[in-house]
Amino acid sequence: MTRTLHRAGSIFTGRFVKILFLCVAAVAVLIGVPALPCATAGEIPTFTVDASWPKPLPNNWILGQVGGITVDWQGHIWVTHRPRSLTDDEKGATLNPPRSKCCVPAPPVLEFDVDGNLLRSWGGPGEGYEWVGREHGIEVDERGFVWIGGNADNDNAILKFTLDGKFVSQIGKIAPSNGSNDTTQLGKPAETAIDKEANEIYVADGYGNHRVIVFDAATGAYKRHWGAYGNAPSDDKQAAYDPKAPVSTQFGNPVHCVKIADDGLVYVCDRINDRIQVFKKDGSFVKEWFYEKTTLGNGAVWDLALWPDPKQTYLLSADGENNEIRILKREDGSVVGRFGGGGRNAGQFHWVHTMAVDKQGNVYTGEVDNAKRIQKFKLTSDALR
């Protein structure tokens, strides 16, 4: 396992530092050996937390648990949070009579720029649709639509809005689920991803179902679905995760993320089983990787983000149980770095739940349970060549 060093707020991998020292040609000459070819600073991404991001919210607003975060084609950061997760002391200004001066729940959908300025906010119940019971997952496509999911008991749909929050359509219903092989209803979906060329939406489905399901993003028409290893999903009761037991042939709950790489590979977070499974777009199984396999509780693979260099060389993997983000080589899944750690200071995490990366290599995270915050980590190495 690669050792992590922390210096002056920046995060470096032990391997990265070692390579830099080995690259000093003068030292090589002095000791009488050929100089090693220098590895550039771009070999592994490194980060430092930006404790000033985002800027304070207006209107005495406060965030609840962060259900989803994403970056759109403009580089804007979109967040969906859970106003109903706030305790009475956190939303004291809204009580009758007011308990305190602070605070008021922010609207559930917020858009920020890269500097942390709030650009737009909306969400909640409205005419012509039923809002989700517990906000979970947000995606913004290049056609200008925002997709929202939920994971409360009957949150078995994804809702589609314009950038300004006007309701467009939905897939599924806010109603009981029909199971993992139904083609019209979802099962507490966790996250979505857009294949912009095919205009298809992939759904990590989810907290109730055990599958990935794909729809036409324009019409909502069903396309295909699959479970672990590309097999048909099953809703048979599964044993509790046991790292000593044979690996599960089904996804556990939740199927917590889905990401699509430029080369067509589809990455799925099987959170409770501590693994990432990789597929082709037709659902054919390619490979799987396990991480921190002894992790119990809520599992070790919560979210993924593709690194924005031309080859998408790395995957970043958020682990909300161990409260760290791992940097993985996408070609083989090996861990080459990590940052974070449990705690409540800037740069630490408590249940890091969701994550996104912009084109400049800045990482944005959202936390649930009682952390209820978003953070930004700025790229500190030349890792985008």
Side-chain angles (χ1 to χ4, degrees), residues 22-344:
L22 289 174
C23 282
V24 181
V27 172
V29 171
L30 286 172
I31 63 176
V33 298
L36 294 172
C38 281
T40 69
E43 189 165 321
I44 298 172
T46 60
F47 306 91
T48 187
V49 67
D50 181 353
S52 66
W53 194 96
K55 294 179 180 176
L57 294 174
N59 307 319
N60 205 18
W61 285 349
I62 189 173
L63 290 180
Q65 297 173 357
V66 181
I69 194 165
T70 192
V71 177
D72 70 13
W73 77 98
Q74 308 170 90
H76 294 172
I77 301 91
W78 292 75
V79 173
T80 183
H81 80 107
R82 302 167 181 167
R84 287 163 288 191
S85 70
L86 291 164
T87 60
D88 279 355
D89 66 298
E90 291 171 321
K91 59 181 181 181
T94 68
L95 303 182
N96 187 18
R99 171 173 168 168
S100 58
K101 293 192 293 182
C102 181
C103 288
V104 175
V109 177
L110 305 166
E111 177 190 6
F112 298 90
D113 66 18
V114 70
D115 296 320
N117 298 298
L118 181 66
L119 304 177
R120 175 160 31 194
S121 61
W122 49 266
E127 186 175 350
Y129 66 91
E130 224 179 323
W131 188 253
V132 296
R134 185 188 300 116
E135 294 80 1
H136 198 297
I138 185 169
E139 185 67 26
V140 182
D141 66 39
E142 292 190 19
R143 291 171 170 83
F145 296 111
V146 181
W147 299 83
I148 303 289
N151 71 332
D153 284 346
N154 284 331
D155 283 347
N156 299 317
I158 49 175
L159 309 180
K160 182 179 182 181
F161 297 87
T162 66
L163 297 178
D164 288 322
K166 180 181 178 181
F167 176 70
V168 177
S169 62
Q170 69 187 58
I171 298 173
K173 297 178 180 179
I174 307 297
S177 172
N178 295 320
S180 291
N181 287 294
D182 182 78
T183 61
T184 60
Q185 186 74 322
L186 299 172
K188 297 192 279 188
E191 191 178 87
T192 58
I194 297 290
D195 179 351
K196 64 180 181 180
E197 284 75 22
N199 200 23
E200 292 179 337
I201 185 164
Y202 288 60
V203 185
D205 189 37
Y207 277 80
N209 289 338
H210 303 84
R211 65 179 178 181
V212 173
I213 188 167
V214 184
F215 299 93
D216 185 289
T219 67
Y222 165 80
K223 292 295 190 72
R224 57 195 175 276
H225 73 275
W226 65 86
Y229 299 104
N231 298 325
S234 169
D235 292 318
D236 294 342
K237 184 174 177 58
Q238 299 182 40
Y241 174 72
D242 179 355
K244 298 178 182 178
V247 298
S248 176
T249 59
Q250 294 287 334
F251 287 136
N253 291 126
V255 186
H256 205 249
C257 86
V258 59
K259 304 292 179 181
I260 308 168
D262 292 343
D263 60 12
L265 291 178
V266 178
Y267 296 82
V268 179
C269 297
D270 189 4
R271 192 175 94 177
I272 207 74
N273 288 317
D274 297 340
R275 67 184 174 185
I276 297 168
Q277 288 204 330
V278 188
F279 302 88
K280 296 179 181 178
K281 289 182 180 180
D282 63 3
S284 301
F285 176 75
V286 177
K287 54 190 171 183
E288 68 181 357
W289 304 313
F290 291 86
Y291 298 96
E292 304 295 342
K293 200 174 177 181
T294 59
T295 300
L296 302 176
N298 288 294
V301 181
W302 291 46
D303 203 2
L304 295 171
L306 288 149
W307 191 242
D309 70 324
K311 294 182 180 180
Q312 296 184 310
T313 305
Y314 302 103
L315 281 168
L316 273 59
S317 177
D319 179 345
E321 186 68 40
N322 296 299
N323 287 302
E324 65 181 17
I325 293 176
R326 289 180 287 272
I327 303 167
L328 316 176
K329 287 180 68 175
R330 192 164 71 90
E331 64 180 2
D332 61 10
S334 59
V335 179
V336 296
R338 62 187 71 226
F339 62 96
R344 302 185 187 279

